[in-house]
Amino acid sequence: MSIATSSAHPPQKAPAGASKVRYIILAMCFLGITMNYLDRANLSVALPYIDAELNLQLTNAEKGLILGAFFWAYDGMMLIAGWFTDKVGSRRSFTIAAVWWSAFTALTPLATSFWGFFAVRFALGAGEAPAYPSATKAASRWFPKSERAFATAVIDSGSRVGTVLALPIVTGIIALTTWHYSFAILGALGLVWAFFWYVMYRDPAEHTGANDLERQYITDNGGRTDATDDAEAVKIRWIDLFRYRTIWGMMIGFFCLNFVIYFFLTWFPDYLKNARGLNLAELGTFGMIPGLTAVVAAWSAGAWADRAIRGGADVTAIRKLIMVGGLLGGAAILPAALVSSLYMALIFLAISYSSLAVAATAIWSLPADVAPSSHHVASIGGIQNFASNIAGIISPFLFGALLDRFHGNYTPSFAMAAFMALVGAFTYAFVVGRAEPLPVLPPRT
């Protein structure tokens, strides 16, 4: 795939004297997503201690239902969350979401039974749904097209940073106090973040800290603000977004990417322990390698993409190169099962996870690229995230079913994941259209 140059003038650099409020917004979005994932992973780490203290005698199936309750609510609310964010804006939607999920995090110690933990986990998932659409919409308004990939990479890396930090933070709090405080402390920190987000966030046109040079730079270089909206495009209904082939391609492609990523969020520790024989100490060190390399790779890819676009490269070519190449690299999960060396397996797994994280930088840039107007960015983000999290429900189950069928052999599961990565690469290459605002379609007859 060649990287053609755009026929339009290449994006300009920010002028001297322009304020840099957008980077404060970016840092806040990153912290918000990190808190989101810390609270999401909290119960997964604390559950063995909870079960032991309360003597719940939960079966593995019941533990799975408690942990899975989050994803049923999270995915079920995702379509509404995107629509809601576009209606009320990132300031209010992200604040409401953070207050909701932080409150239910803090209330978790009040649960004393299977159904109590199931209910609080379900409520937590419902509250976390607006987080990604809110952050995506905020980035679309504050970052021009030529800075969007890096901004997206930073925001999305919050999910990996939060997941990696959950184990040492939660276990550390439990070691110093009890499991109750892990929920109380993280819930309180989430409420603090929500307060500062509500106080600090405004769209560029309303933010008193941003000067006219920064606002003009964002608007002139592809920031999705009300000033850049086409009047007819604003009228496109939410339901009519499903009439576009590109939207369906984004849904299928993101489903395929998350199908593989959820291995790293669910079965990866089991693989290291049972397939590779690592002990607890080794699990805590070697297990961090793919996640940490994924953060570095995604930030680097985002910076490279933005630099290429500022140099005049075609936005569609850059986005597709990263998405297709990233998913092709994600198929490196298969050779990880075929090599005998632990270190070679970790290298292949790090390549796979890092490649998928790289692809995600372009995937999360797409809603702002293709939205018909700024009032559709969060909706499209919610739609593709809804599809991707269906994979979060299906993928862990299929991995487990194949492990049962093949007596703990991971090769068939990894082959399935590699196949899904290839399907995703094909979808982004040939089904998703150009990275530009979708045209207004004629009304249905």
Side-chain angles (χ1 to χ4, degrees):
M1 182 184 299
S2 63
I3 304 176
T5 56
S6 173
S7 59
H9 294 296
Q12 301 297 312
K13 292 183 179 180
S19 54
K20 300 184 184 299
V21 173
R22 61 192 184 281
Y23 295 112
I24 298 175
I25 301 299
L26 178 60
M28 289 293 294
C29 287
F30 168 78
L31 288 174
I33 297 298
T34 300
M35 288 300 307
N36 181 282
Y37 270 74
L38 273 171
D39 286 349
R40 183 183 305 194
N42 197 339
L43 184 63
S44 302
V45 179
L47 191 56
Y49 302 93
I50 295 171
D51 195 20
E53 180 178 319
L54 298 180
N55 195 27
L56 297 175
Q57 297 182 338
L58 297 171
T59 66
N60 286 328
E62 288 172 331
K63 291 177 182 177
L65 286 171
I66 289 173
L67 296 173
F70 172 94
F71 292 102
W72 287 101
Y74 181 75
D75 203 39
M77 289 295 293
M78 187 55 66
L79 293 176
I80 298 174
W83 170 85
F84 176 73
T85 299
D86 274 330
K87 288 296 181 183
V88 305
S90 293
R91 182 186 181 218
R92 279 187 266 181
S93 62
F94 217 161
T95 302
I96 292 170
V99 169
W100 181 306
W101 89 60
S102 299
F104 279 99
T105 296
L107 291 171
T108 300
L110 298 180
T112 58
S113 65
F114 165 79
W115 285 111
F117 284 106
F118 184 94
V120 76
R121 188 71 175 173
F122 188 91
L124 179 71
E128 288 202 3
Y132 258 103
S134 298
T136 301
K137 186 176 183 69
S140 76
R141 287 185 172 266
W142 275 98
F143 284 87
K145 190 174 293 186
S146 57
E147 295 183 2
R148 195 171 292 151
F150 180 73
T152 300
V154 172
I155 291 170
D156 188 49
S157 70
S159 64
R160 278 164 275 284
V161 172
T163 302
V164 169
L165 291 180
L167 186 60
I169 288 177
V170 175
T171 55
I173 294 173
I174 293 173
L176 293 172
T177 56
T178 68
W179 62 267
H180 306 77
Y181 284 94
S182 69
F183 294 97
I185 291 172
L186 291 181
L189 288 175
L191 291 174
V192 171
W193 180 90
F195 170 79
F196 279 103
W197 174 261
Y198 188 79
V199 169
M200 294 173 60
Y201 185 83
R202 299 290 189 280
D203 285 340
E206 303 165 354
H207 202 293
T208 57
N211 61 20
D212 290 339
L213 285 174
E214 183 175 23
R215 295 190 190 97
Q216 196 64 44
Y217 166 67
I218 293 169
T219 301
D220 290 349
N221 291 282
R224 303 307 301 269
T225 64
D226 292 341
T228 64
D229 284 342
D230 176 79
E232 290 302 312
V234 171
K235 299 177 183 177
I236 295 176
R237 300 179 303 167
W238 178 87
I239 192 66
D240 286 333
L241 294 172
F242 292 93
R243 296 174 61 191
Y244 294 95
R245 185 189 73 178
T246 286
I247 299 297
W248 285 100
M250 291 167 66
M251 293 171 68
I252 296 169
F254 204 3
F255 173 92
C256 292
L257 179 131
N258 257 18
F259 191 96
V260 188
I261 277 186
Y262 267 96
F263 159 76
F264 293 95
L265 303 181
T266 55
W267 285 100
F268 181 51
D270 180 86
Y271 168 77
L272 293 181
K273 180 178 181 295
N274 294 320
R276 293 293 176 175
L278 271 61
N279 59 36
L280 186 60
E282 293 170 331
L283 187 64
T285 53
F286 289 119
M288 295 176 65
I289 292 174
L292 294 176
T293 56
V295 171
V296 174
W299 283 38
S300 301
W304 174 84
D306 287 343
R307 186 165 56 250
I309 292 171
R310 283 195 297 271
D314 181 66
V315 176
T316 300
I318 292 295
R319 299 281 191 253
K320 290 206 170 193
L321 177 65
I322 290 177
M323 292 185 297
V324 174
L327 277 154
L328 290 176
I333 192 172
L334 178 55
L338 304 178
V339 296
S340 58
S341 166
L342 166 66
Y343 299 104
M344 286 302 302
L346 285 171
I347 288 173
F348 281 119
L349 289 171
I351 291 172
S352 176
Y353 198 15
S354 298
S355 298
L356 296 169
V358 165
T361 66
I363 289 171
W364 275 113
S365 296
L366 273 185
D369 292 337
V370 307
S373 78
S374 66
H375 297 271
H376 297 96
V377 175
S379 296
I380 293 175
I383 288 169
Q384 70 167 9
N385 208 24
F386 164 78
S388 76
N389 278 283
I390 294 175
I393 298 170
I394 296 174
S395 173
F397 169 77
L398 290 181
F399 263 85
L402 286 176
L403 287 172
D404 287 341
R405 173 69 178 82
F406 293 96
H407 311 291
N409 184 351
Y410 269 87
T411 302
S413 298
F414 282 14
M416 172 183 65
F419 173 75
M420 293 301 295
L422 296 178
V423 172
F426 177 89
T427 302
Y428 282 116
F430 300 108
V431 179
V432 174
R434 292 190 58 78
E436 56 189 31
L438 296 167
V440 178
L441 295 177
R444 292 182 182 273
T445 56

